[in-house]
Amino acid sequence: MNEKVSKLINEQINKEFYSAYLYLEFANYYASVGLDGFENWYRIQAMEERDHAMLFFQYLHNNGEKVTLEAIDKPDCDLTNNMAPLKAGLKHEQYVTSLINNIYAAAFEDKDFRTMQLLDWFVKEQGEEEKNASDLITKMELFGSDSKGLYMLNSELSARVHSAPSLTL
Ligand code: MG
């Protein structure tokens, strides 16, 4: 595998674990204010990010590449109200999309079609992640300022369950 592509995927493993850590911090915030449905939603989001990390981890192994695990940064966020995690979440997903696009560009340049095929799944996944994050903000804007609305929204988010990624390597 091209050295640059391999290095970027290696870095992405760390970024996905960081995403998991960030979302765990969001779950931590919502637990502290008693919104257990929001807490559940972000706990599951954290599990999905770990799944993403493991897909890249396995992909490098499958291709005979060495994986180097680096330190995971402390979550960088300032959670001062119930909307803050949702906005930080959207911003973070937009950033992750840019990272995936960067890896794609490197793979494309190297005519690494196998990696491009892997990344096709992530490109689509990022589209869904950004939509989910954006939809949560919209719902919070619509219903979050009313206690009954917030109660209903919290109940809705408590129903989310974890499912394994639709991608196999
Ligand atoms: Mg991810």
Side-chain angles (χ1 to χ4, degrees):
M1 193 185 290
N2 174 279
E3 205 179 312
K4 186 182 172 188
V5 174
S6 173
K7 186 172 171 283
L8 286 173
I9 295 176
N10 218 316
E11 285 169 10
Q12 193 61 29
I13 293 171
N14 185 276
K15 304 279 187 189
E16 299 290 345
F17 276 122
Y18 174 77
S19 298
Y21 218 39
L22 181 70
Y23 292 139
L24 207 53
E25 180 73 332
F26 292 1
N28 195 26
Y29 166 81
Y30 284 121
S32 77
V33 295
L35 287 169
D36 54 357
F38 286 75
E39 177 197 351
N40 172 65
W41 202 92
Y42 278 109
R43 272 176 184 262
I44 294 191
Q45 190 62 26
M47 289 183 211
E48 277 202 0
E49 299 305 342
R50 184 187 173 278
D51 292 338
H52 296 164
M54 293 313 293
L55 285 168
F56 284 121
F57 181 88
Q58 188 63 49
Y59 182 74
L60 286 184
H61 281 183
N62 287 359
N63 286 277
E65 295 289 313
K66 200 166 163 279
V67 171
T68 308
L69 296 174
E70 302 288 353
I72 301 164
D73 287 341
K74 189 178 168 184
D76 177 21
C77 53
D78 188 19
L79 308 178
T80 49
N81 57 63
N82 296 341
M83 179 63 99
L86 307 182
K87 295 227 163 133
L90 176 59
K91 207 171 149 222
H92 183 68
E93 287 305 330
Q94 288 165 341
Y95 166 65
V96 173
T97 298
S98 77
L99 296 174
I100 297 292
N101 289 347
N102 274 344
I103 309 172
Y104 206 114
F108 180 81
E109 200 184 336
D110 189 53
K111 294 191 171 64
D112 180 350
F113 301 113
R114 187 187 297 161
T115 299
M116 284 160 66
Q117 199 169 49
L118 168 81
L119 292 172
D120 281 335
W121 185 87
F122 280 93
V123 169
K124 190 162 173 280
E125 173 71 12
Q126 281 312 117
E128 288 169 16
E129 298 283 37
E130 286 190 38
K131 184 181 186 303
N132 288 341
S134 171
D135 286 352
L136 277 181
I137 292 171
T138 303
K139 285 183 181 177
M140 192 61 146
E141 278 168 353
L142 284 170
F143 314 120
S145 54
D146 169 80
S147 61
K148 281 182 196 152
L150 186 61
Y151 182 82
M152 296 292 284
L153 189 51
N154 187 64
S155 300
E156 183 191 322
L157 298 184
S158 71
R160 186 181 188 192
V161 291
H162 177 247
S163 55
S166 56
L167 172 71
T168 47
L169 295 173

